Amino acid sequence: MARMFRVLGFFTLTIGLMAFAGELVEMALLFFLQTAFFVILGYLKFTERTYITLFWAYMLVTFTGFSYWTIFHMGMPL
């Protein structure tokens, strides 16, 4: 299970590099931060249950933040 977090780190690094190449600096920094988070978690020796709980917590925060941003900051077309 720990390897999966390192794989997530690799993919977020790839997305961050593509965003940086496309001059989307804020998005790139966000994905670089996620890369560091996933890689650090990947090298910690947690139990599988802890890794699953951390992943669910990450998904909850991510989807809540995404929903908040799309509703209140992007605006709704009328």
Side-chain angles (χ1 to χ4, degrees):
M1 188 60 124
R3 286 187 186 169
M4 200 63 225
F5 276 91
R6 284 180 261 174
V7 170
L8 285 170
F10 170 76
F11 283 119
T12 54
L13 176 64
T14 305
I15 293 169
L17 289 172
M18 288 189 293
F20 193 68
E23 299 179 5
L24 300 170
V25 178
E26 294 86 4
M27 179 181 166
L29 291 176
L30 179 65
F31 274 88
F32 291 152
L33 181 68
Q34 290 180 44
T35 299
F37 175 71
F38 285 139
V39 170
I40 289 169
L41 280 179
Y43 283 105
L44 296 175
K45 301 294 183 192
F46 290 136
T47 63
E48 186 172 349
R49 182 179 179 141
T50 305
Y51 278 120
I52 291 172
T53 304
L54 285 170
F55 184 71
W56 275 100
Y58 168 77
M59 295 306 286
L60 180 70
V61 169
T62 302
F63 288 139
T64 303
F66 179 77
S67 298
Y68 172 80
W69 187 265
T70 55
I71 292 171
F72 295 112
H73 288 279
M74 289 179 68
M76 301 291 279
L78 298 176

